[in-house]
C-alpha cells in the first residue's frame, strides 16, 4: 500500500470540506498577554488573542510563575517516572490535597490532562462496575465520549440538559442496574449551563452515580473557584467532579475529585493513569499556586464578569448577533463556514485580532461562530478595537444585525 498517497487523499477530502485545521503560530507575551506575536511566512505580526481558554490570565500570573520557577530549580524538569515508579513528587501530593479541598471531597487524582482524566476516569468506572449503564448528555465533550466508548459498557445518550428525557431513560432500567450519569456544567460552545440541581434530583431518585465535567467552570465560578456546583451548593451531592488545570488555572493537567475509595479505585485500575509519566513537579506547583490564589481572590472573577458584560453590551449596541447565555463565553454567530473563516482571516490580517473560527464538526452546520472569551487581561483599548473591527466587517459583508434568541 502507498501509505502516503492514502494520507494525502484523506487530507484532501477534509480540505475540500473546509475542515482542514490550520494552526495559528504565536508566542504569547508573559506580562502583556492577551498580546502575542504571530509567525506567518517568515514575518511576524502583533496580535491580540480573543479566543484563549486561559480565561483569567493565570498563565502569566506572578504567583504561578514564581512557584514554577522555584520548583524547576528545586526539583528539575521532569517527574522522572510514573506515579508508581519514583514519579510521585511531593508537589503532586500537595496539589491533590488542594484539589480535594477545592471541591469538598475526600480525595483527588491528577492526570496529564483533562482529556485523559475523562477518558480514564469514565472508562475505568464504566468498565469495572459490573453491569454499569452510562447515561451521557448529547453534547458531552469528545474525551467523555471516548472514555465511555472505550469502557464497552452499554450507554444511552440523553437529550442535552433535558431532565425529563434523562428521567425517562433512567426509568428503563431497574433499581438493581448500576447507573452512571455523565454531563458538563458549562458547555463550551454555546456557553449554556446545565440544570445541575434538577439533574441531581433525578439521579438520586434512580440511585445513579453522577460525574460532572467542570472544565470550563473551575477557577471561574463559586466563591473559591470550585465551579458551578460550588456556586450552587451542590458539590456534596455529586459523586465525581472532573476538571482541568489547563484553562482558568492557566497551567496544564486534569483531575477527578471524589470519595477516598472511588479515587483509590481509579488510581488502582486506570491504565491511562498508571502507565504514564507524572506531570513535571513545576507544573504541579504552578497549578497549586493558581488554585490557592483563586480560592482567596475574587478580583479576577469579578473583572472577567465585567469585561464579558461590557463586550456583550457593545455587541448589542451594534446589533452583532451573539448567543445569550449565563456564562463567560460569547458565541458571535455567523452561520456560514466560509464567511466565518473569512471574517476570522480579515480580523487577523487587518487588525491583528485573533479569533479562531468554530465550524463543523465542532458545532452543527449553520451555527458557525466566532467564540470570544473576554478576560481580566483585555483592556478598554483591546475591547474597542475588537468591537470596531467587528462592526466594520459586519457592514462590509452585509451580515445580518439584530439579536439572536437562545
Ligand atoms: C478542554 C476540555 C477537556 C479537556 O481538558 P484538557 O485539560 O484541555 O485536556 C475536557 N472537557 C471539556 C468540556 C473541555 O472543553
Amino acid at each position: 500500500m502507498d501509505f502516503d498517497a492514502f494520507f494525502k487523499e484523506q487530507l484532501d477530502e477534509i480540505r475540500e470540506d473546509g475542515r482542514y485545521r490550520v494552526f495559528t503560530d504565536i508566542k504569547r507575551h508573559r506580562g502583556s498577554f492577551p498580546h502575542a506575536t504571530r509567525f506567518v511566512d517568515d514575518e511576524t505580526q502583533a496580535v491580540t488573542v480573543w479566543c484563549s481558554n486561559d480565561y483569567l490570565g493565570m498563565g502569566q500570573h506572578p504567583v504561578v510563575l514564581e512557584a514554577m520557577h522555584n520548583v524547576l530549580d528545586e526539583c528539575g524538569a521532569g517527574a522522572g517516572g510514573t506515579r508508581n515508579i519514583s514519579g510521585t513528587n511531593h508537589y503532586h501530593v500537595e496539589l491533590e490535597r488542594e484539589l480535594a479541598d477545592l471541591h469538598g471531597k475526600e480525595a483527588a487524582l491528577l492526570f496529564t490532562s483533562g482529556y485523559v482524566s475523562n477518558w480514564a476516569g469514565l472508562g475505568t468506572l464504566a468498565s469495572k462496575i459490573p453491569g454499569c449503564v452510562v447515561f451521557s448528555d448529547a453534547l458531552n465533550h469528545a474525551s467523555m465520549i471516548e472514555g465511555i466508548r472505550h469502557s464497552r459498557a452499554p450507554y444511552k445518550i440523553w437529550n442535552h440538559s433535558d431532565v425529563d428525557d434523562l428521567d425517562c431513560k433512567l426509568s428503563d432500567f431497574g433499581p438493581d442496574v448500576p447507573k452512571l450519569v455523565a454531563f458538563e456544567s458549562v458547555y463550551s460552545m454555546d456557553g449554556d449551563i446545565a440544570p445541575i440541581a434538577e439533574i441531581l434530583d433525578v439521579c438520586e431518585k434512580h440511585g445513579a452515580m453522577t460525574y460532572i465535567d467542570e472544565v470550563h467552570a473551575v477557577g471561574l465560578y463559586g466563591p473559591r473557584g470550585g465551579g458551578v456546583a460550588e456556586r450552587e451548593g451542590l458539590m456534596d451531592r455529586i459523586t465525581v467532579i472532573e476538571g482541568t488545570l489547563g484553562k482558568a488555572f492557566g497551567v496544564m493537567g486534569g483531575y477527578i475529585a471524589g470519595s477516598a475509595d472511588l479515587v483509590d479505585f481509579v488510581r488502582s485500575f486506570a491504565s491511562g493513569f498508571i502507565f504514564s509519566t507524572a506531570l513535571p513537579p513545576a507544573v504541579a506547583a504552578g497549578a497549586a499556586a493558581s488554585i490557592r490564589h483563586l480560592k482567596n481572590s475574587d478580583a479576577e472573577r469579578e473583572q472577567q464578569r465585567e469585561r464579558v458584560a461590557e463586550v456583550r453590551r457593545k455587541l448589542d449596541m451594534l446589533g452583532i448577533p451573539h448567543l445569550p447565555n449565563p456564562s463567560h463565553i460569547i458565541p458571535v454567530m455567523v452561520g456560514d463556514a466560509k464567511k466565518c473563516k473569512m471574517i476570522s482571516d480579515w480580523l487577523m490580517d487587518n487588525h491583528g485580532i485573533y479569533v479562531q473560527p468554530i465550524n463543523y464538526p465542532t458545532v452543527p452546520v449553520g451555527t458557525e461562530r466566532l467564540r470570544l472569551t473576554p478576560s481580566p487581561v483585555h483592556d478598554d483599548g483591546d475591547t474597542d478595537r475588537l468591537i470596531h473591527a467587528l462592526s466594520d466587517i459586519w457592514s462590509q459583508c452585509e451580515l445580518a444585525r439584530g439579536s439572536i434568541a437562545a
Side-chain angles (χ1 to χ4, degrees):
M1 181 179 179
D2 184 343
F3 294 107
D4 276 334
F6 166 77
F7 299 144
K8 196 177 164 303
E9 195 182 295
Q10 295 286 303
L11 289 167
D12 285 344
E13 214 167 279
I14 59 172
R15 265 195 204 95
E16 265 165 45
D17 280 10
R19 286 192 287 128
Y20 183 73
R21 290 166 200 261
V22 180
F23 294 158
T24 300
D25 173 358
I26 60 170
K27 258 187 204 171
R28 309 201 315 158
H29 297 314
R30 193 268 303 153
S32 67
F33 182 73
H35 299 210
T37 299
R38 176 191 179 210
F39 292 78
V40 59
D41 305 332
D42 298 324
E43 282 179 39
T44 61
Q45 179 194 10
V47 300
T48 306
V49 184
W50 276 97
C51 55
S52 175
N53 285 337
D54 182 1
Y55 291 127
L56 299 176
M58 292 306 287
Q60 66 182 1
H61 197 286
V63 165
V64 176
L65 299 198
E66 193 196 345
M68 293 187 75
H69 282 296
N70 288 346
V71 174
L72 185 62
D73 288 338
E74 185 191 2
C75 299
T82 63
R83 289 291 295 273
N84 193 44
I85 307 179
S86 88
T88 295
N89 194 281
H90 189 61
Y91 290 102
H92 299 125
V93 178
E94 280 187 358
L95 173 55
E96 287 175 338
R97 278 191 202 129
E98 202 66 70
L99 288 164
D101 170 77
L102 177 66
H103 295 295
K105 296 292 184 193
E106 288 170 353
L109 189 68
L110 268 176
F111 296 82
T112 44
S113 72
Y115 189 102
V116 175
S117 66
N118 273 335
W119 182 80
L122 280 170
T124 302
L125 292 169
S127 68
K128 301 283 183 203
I129 298 172
C132 182
V133 179
V134 186
F135 299 81
S136 178
D137 184 284
L139 293 190
N140 274 345
H141 189 257
S143 55
M144 301 171 88
I145 296 168
E146 289 297 328
I148 293 164
R149 287 224 293 246
H150 177 75
S151 78
R152 301 189 180 189
Y155 64 91
K156 300 283 158 194
I157 294 169
W158 45 291
N159 296 337
H160 175 54
S161 287
D162 182 340
V163 178
D164 293 334
D165 189 49
L166 173 62
D167 191 12
C168 183
K169 293 213 155 93
L170 284 165
S171 301
D172 288 341
F173 295 84
D176 295 338
V177 175
K179 305 173 188 75
L180 169 55
V181 175
F183 60 107
E184 301 180 21
S185 60
V186 176
Y187 286 84
S188 76
M189 289 304 146
D190 284 354
D192 58 315
I193 295 181
I196 303 175
E198 285 88 340
I199 291 170
L200 295 176
D201 289 345
V202 167
C203 290
E204 284 162 6
K205 187 174 103 184
H206 293 276
M209 190 172 148
T210 48
Y211 183 109
I212 192 170
D213 173 320
E214 288 246 47
V215 159
H216 292 277
V218 289
L220 303 172
Y221 298 87
R224 296 203 311 158
V228 179
E230 188 203 12
R231 184 184 72 185
E232 298 177 1
L234 299 170
M235 292 196 296
D236 61 332
R237 290 175 61 193
I238 301 173
T239 320
V240 182
I241 298 177
E242 182 272 344
T244 184
L245 306 170
K247 290 171 184 170
F249 292 127
V251 191
M252 91 170 285
Y255 65 91
I256 59 166
S259 72
D261 286 336
L262 183 144
V263 167
D264 199 16
F265 181 81
V266 175
R267 186 186 73 91
S268 304
F269 288 101
S271 166
F273 171 82
I274 297 170
F275 297 106
S276 189
T277 299
L279 286 171
V283 168
S290 183
I291 294 163
R292 229 173 272 132
H293 177 81
L294 289 173
K295 277 178 181 172
N296 296 307
S297 169
D298 229 6
E300 292 80 7
R301 287 186 280 274
E302 272 170 26
Q303 286 164 24
Q304 186 205 30
R305 278 193 289 272
E306 282 167 23
R307 187 59 62 190
V308 170
E310 194 200 355
V311 171
R312 282 210 175 98
R313 203 163 49 237
K314 291 188 165 163
L315 291 171
D316 284 339
M317 277 162 51
L318 294 164
I320 293 174
H322 57 101
L323 269 190
N325 66 48
S327 77
H328 58 284
I329 293 160
I330 307 184
V332 170
M333 304 308 280
V334 180
D336 177 280
K338 288 211 174 76
K339 274 186 193 162
C340 200
K341 169 89 170 65
M342 197 215 76
I343 293 172
S344 163
D345 289 345
W346 184 88
L347 287 169
M348 182 74 103
D349 294 341
N350 292 280
H351 295 276
I353 289 169
Y354 175 25
V355 199
Q356 192 66 32
I358 312 276
N359 287 344
Y360 177 83
T362 307
V363 295
V365 172
T367 70
E368 291 80 4
R369 66 197 67 184
L370 302 168
R371 177 182 177 273
L372 302 178
T373 52
S375 78
V377 292
H378 291 99
D379 64 20
D380 291 342
D382 296 327
T383 307
D384 286 342
R385 279 188 293 279
L386 170 75
I387 295 294
H388 286 136
L390 280 173
S391 181
D392 194 1
I393 190 68
W394 239 253
S395 300
Q396 283 190 39
C397 294
E398 296 179 338
L399 287 162
R401 300 211 186 211
S403 61
I404 267 199

